[in-house]
Amino acid sequence: ISWEVITMKVKEIMTKDVACVQPDDTIEQAAKIMKQHGCGSIPVCWGNKLEGVVTDRDIAMRCVADGKDGKQQKVKEIMTGAPATGQPEMDVNEAARLMSERQIRRLPILENDSLVGYLALGDISVEPASQNSAGEALSGISRQTNIQM
């Protein structure tokens, strides 16, 4: 019996055809693209250069809850700038660890400072060889934080 450790690279399971929005797009445009693609997070790019990430939670908390107009407010006003990123050659377990530490469900993948993919927790969880990593990442992502109510 071989006890060889199965290692998988991010590039093998990441989404390569990634929808993006631009910093000057409106929140409404970003929400429509998220709806069209059935996702809750989308990279914000100028060309292939990643500027940030905007999530459905950003829209809810930084636009709607603040009473802002999504038809007027720009993505750059609510996006998370300088997000955590990974590389295509990164081991999936390492990516899952990073996602857990940063408490994120999606990781933009960069190569030579250009966006080349997007890795979602779901991408990791459907691969039998990486299901333990996905479970550990979800556990870290879902851990309690000190939230004042």
Side-chain angles (χ1 to χ4, degrees):
I1 298 174
S2 172
W3 294 101
E4 181 178 318
V5 175
I6 298 172
T7 59
M8 186 176 300
K9 300 292 183 191
V10 165
K11 68 181 179 182
E12 297 174 52
I13 63 172
M14 70 182 186
T15 299
K16 294 177 180 84
D17 186 21
V18 182
C20 295
V21 294
Q22 294 183 2
D24 287 330
D25 286 345
T26 65
I27 305 302
E28 182 181 58
Q29 289 169 310
K32 285 180 178 180
I33 291 171
M34 288 175 169
K35 180 179 180 181
Q36 177 184 351
H37 291 277
C39 62
S41 169
I42 194 161
V44 181
C45 300
W46 276 120
N48 283 340
K49 184 168 174 14
L50 182 70
E51 298 289 327
V53 172
V54 67
T55 66
D56 48 8
R57 187 171 196 280
D58 293 332
I59 293 170
M61 303 301 285
R62 298 177 183 165
C63 179
V64 178
D66 286 345
K68 304 276 175 70
D69 182 359
K71 293 177 192 257
Q72 300 295 321
Q73 191 174 23
K74 305 294 185 196
V75 169
K76 65 185 174 189
E77 297 173 39
I78 68 162
M79 72 180 190
T80 299
T85 62
Q87 298 81 38
E89 293 296 327
M90 184 180 222
D91 180 87
V92 170
N93 295 319
E94 184 182 345
R97 227 179 348 267
L98 176 61
M99 293 166 80
S100 176
E101 288 168 6
R102 297 291 297 266
Q103 293 188 289
I104 55 175
R105 294 176 186 267
R106 292 164 197 88
L107 186 66
I109 305 301
L110 303 181
E111 189 170 52
N112 299 321
D113 291 328
S114 290
L115 182 70
V116 295
Y118 216 41
L119 181 68
L121 187 58
D123 297 329
I124 298 171
S125 67
V126 297
E127 289 297 324
S130 61
Q131 286 179 348
N132 285 344
S133 293
E136 290 169 15
L138 182 59
S139 175
I141 292 164
S142 301
R143 73 177 175 255
Q144 290 286 343
T145 56
N146 292 333
I147 299 174
Q148 302 275 330
M149 297 260 222

